[in-house]
Amino acid sequence: MLNLFNRAAVFTSVGAVGLLVLTACGGAGGGDADRSGKGEVASLDSPAAGGGSASASAEPDAGRPQIRLDSTNAEVNRMYDAWLACLKEHGAAEKYKRKPNDPAVLACKGKEPLDPPELDPAKNPDYADDTRAMVKCMKGHGIKALVVDGQWGLETGDEINRPHYNDYVIDCQVKAFGGDK
């Protein structure tokens, strides 16, 4: 349960960053676009020369919005809102009952925000040390944090209601996981 509050804060932060990237890089062109097909830039999902799709890259997460360590909750929320709007637009049922092969999930995969790679133990070889640094930083801000099952968490759920909690999470994530230790 302690870890749940921490994960919610991290996912919210991560979702905001991804949304910012999505809104900054995505979107359709203006209403005055050249409809002749001349001078247009090919989209990522246009057919490639070999008959395949340009979006079928070696990296399955290519093009997805990326949440940064310093993303605000508002930024993360915008990214997740765009993804959830896409799911709804494609007829997704209840958000907690979707399956990976659901047509809406597949259609919106490119809009699902990615967590910062620094927060992924499989991608960050210093994850354990960074997690301890995160806890130390949070404690330095008066937040009762601890390491639980290899991840940082809160001693009580009330900690999330502390003044400036979200600011402290972002500050500490950047310091602990971003190399500014």
Side-chain angles (χ1 to χ4, degrees):
M1 188 66 159
L2 299 175
N3 209 8
L4 177 63
F5 292 105
N6 179 40
R7 286 182 182 172
V10 170
F11 289 136
T12 300
S13 297
V14 172
V17 172
L19 183 60
L20 179 63
V21 172
L22 177 65
T23 57
C25 298
D32 297 333
D34 179 5
R35 304 278 184 226
S36 68
K38 297 177 183 172
E40 291 183 10
V41 176
S43 66
L44 287 177
D45 59 356
S46 62
S53 172
S55 64
S57 69
E59 177 59 43
D61 294 334
R64 287 177 57 190
Q66 177 70 61
I67 298 170
R68 298 180 328 266
L69 289 174
D70 63 347
S71 295
T72 66
N73 283 341
E75 292 168 336
V76 174
N77 287 340
R78 280 193 299 269
M79 284 187 252
Y80 275 99
D81 287 347
W83 177 56
L84 293 171
C86 179
L87 290 170
K88 184 177 180 181
E89 180 181 312
H90 285 86
E94 299 175 42
K95 75 177 175 182
Y96 298 107
K97 293 186 178 181
R98 288 188 295 269
K99 296 182 175 147
N101 61 351
D102 182 315
V105 171
L106 295 173
C108 299
K109 182 69 176 162
K111 292 186 178 187
E112 182 180 8
L114 292 167
D115 292 334
E118 299 90 346
L119 299 180
D120 184 346
K123 295 178 182 176
N124 180 356
D126 300 318
Y127 184 82
D129 292 335
D130 293 349
T131 299
R132 287 188 289 277
M134 178 74 178
V135 168
K136 183 177 179 181
C137 181
M138 292 297 283
K139 285 182 175 182
H141 288 294
I143 304 293
K144 296 176 185 171
L146 45 81
V147 176
V148 178
D149 297 328
Q151 297 183 5
W152 78 273
L154 302 173
E155 287 186 21
T156 69
D158 292 339
E159 295 300 310
I160 203 166
N161 296 320
R162 293 265 189 127
H164 309 291
Y165 171 82
N166 291 328
D167 297 330
Y168 297 151
V169 169
I170 293 170
D171 176 59
C172 290
Q173 279 183 170
V174 171
K175 288 178 181 174
F177 291 93
D180 186 25
K181 298 171 186 89

